[in-house]
Amino acid sequence: QVQLVESGGGWVQPGGSLRLSCLASPFTLDYYAIAWFRQAPGKEREGVSCISSSDDIIDYTDSAKGRFTISRDNAKNTVYLQMNSLKPEDTAVYYCATDLVAACYYSGSAGDFEVWGQGTLVTVSA
């Protein structure tokens, strides 16, 4: 059974940083695009960023551009989301997802993705 497991969430003060990890098992991440999504309380799940199997990146949300960076380490079968200059409005449950295809979808719609992790909570507050 294909699984994604997120980690790295927690509480951080505004302006701080966190790095989220998405570990895949038992499949190999090398061949697939992986995306990060987030869902704030009372809001719809929104795409944050996606990295393809060839390391092409699509950033889905303007609010995270310049602050969040997606990357992958195929040797560790892990995709990361480095989040800097965090703001209270970044508070959300963050999910990684894949549709087991090589390229990223341009739309960033949650409905396009088949496999999801359980999520990790990020709280940004003073």
Side-chain angles (χ1 to χ4, degrees):
Q1 183 177 357
V2 172
Q3 285 189 324
L4 297 172
V5 179
E6 302 94 338
S7 62
W11 172 82
V12 63
Q13 291 185 330
S17 298
L18 283 175
R19 188 177 76 162
L20 306 183
S21 299
C22 174
L23 175 66
S25 68
F27 68 103
T28 301
L29 279 180
D30 302 31
Y31 308 112
Y32 304 114
I34 304 294
W36 283 97
F37 285 78
R38 65 185 180 183
Q39 188 165 19
K43 294 188 177 181
E44 292 187 354
R45 193 169 298 188
E46 68 167 347
V48 176
S49 188
C50 179
I51 186 166
S52 74
S53 63
S54 56
D55 290 347
D56 296 318
I57 291 172
I58 296 178
D59 292 319
Y60 293 129
T61 177
D62 289 340
S63 65
K65 287 181 181 177
R67 299 188 298 123
F68 293 6
T69 303
I70 192 171
S71 63
R72 65 194 305 149
D73 185 338
N74 289 338
K76 295 183 178 180
N77 216 31
T78 301
V79 169
Y80 301 100
L81 184 67
Q82 177 67 45
M83 305 187 296
N84 299 326
S85 302
L86 283 160
K87 304 174 181 180
E89 50 264 43
D90 295 318
T91 295
V93 178
Y94 284 73
Y95 301 89
C96 59
T98 184
D99 200 39
L100 300 177
V101 297
C104 292
Y105 298 120
Y106 286 100
S107 68
S109 171
D112 291 333
F113 290 82
E114 176 183 353
V115 181
W116 292 84
Q118 83 289 350
T120 185
L121 176 63
V122 172
T123 303
V124 185
S125 67

